[in-house]
Amino acid sequence: MAVSAVDQLVRTPLDGMLRVAGFRRDGRVWNRSRQHLVDVVDLQASKWNTAGDQSLAVNLGVFAPSVYGVCWQKEPPPVAREEYCLVRRRLSHDLETQVDHWWTIRGAGDLEAAGAEIVSLLLSTAIPFFDRFGSL
């Protein structure tokens, strides 16, 4: 079975960069625990992807296990996914404008370019975004 472009991005370069930043991966989701919060990076593949034309978005979130437990009256999940987060954003050049940014991958060149841009944006916008949330 061929590995999808999204899964190739998961393996490299995203996983290496996020691991260095303290995240651990489960599938296409990375979590980083900080004090009472969990930072979440979640790759979302388009449901319309084909073998030759694949799109993906990168979702960011800040998960509060204590709030989840109070709200849902159950233990928080072992892996926080973006949809469980109190604060949610789509990765883009400007997180404040809420641009719905998707990367399209049609070949190896697109895959390399998307990987480089996503890593750059994670470092320049996502990590500082997470760092703004020190506590509840």
Side-chain angles (χ1 to χ4, degrees):
M1 177 189 292
V3 177
S4 76
V6 175
D7 290 324
Q8 287 178 41
L9 279 173
V10 166
R11 292 188 181 139
T12 57
L14 301 184
D15 193 48
M17 177 256 137
L18 288 167
R19 283 184 187 275
V20 168
F23 287 82
R24 62 183 204 300
R25 179 173 65 92
D26 182 12
R28 295 179 178 172
V29 178
W30 289 265
N31 285 182
R32 177 177 71 172
S33 295
R34 295 182 304 116
Q35 298 170 352
H36 303 291
L37 300 173
V38 178
D39 300 330
V40 178
V41 176
D42 193 336
L43 260 59
Q44 178 183 348
S46 170
K47 65 181 177 181
W48 307 111
N49 281 351
T50 64
D53 190 359
Q54 298 185 35
S55 296
L56 71 115
V58 180
N59 300 311
L60 309 173
V62 178
F63 178 69
S66 60
V67 173
Y68 183 94
V70 169
C71 193
W72 301 108
Q73 297 296 305
K74 61 182 179 180
E75 288 294 314
V79 176
R81 303 207 178 279
E82 178 262 343
E83 61 264 25
Y84 305 150
C85 295
L86 294 171
V87 178
R88 299 163 62 178
R89 291 285 187 269
R90 180 73 46 91
L91 183 66
S92 67
H93 291 280
D94 181 3
L95 294 179
E96 302 307 318
T97 60
Q98 286 297 285
V99 174
D100 190 22
H101 188 79
W102 288 76
W103 283 268
T104 300
I105 300 167
R106 293 190 177 98
D110 291 342
L111 182 64
E112 272 186 42
E117 184 178 17
I118 291 168
V119 165
S120 176
L121 287 172
L122 286 169
L123 290 169
S124 66
T125 62
I127 299 298
F129 169 77
F130 290 137
D131 290 346
R132 290 185 358 207
F133 300 94
S135 64
L136 287 176

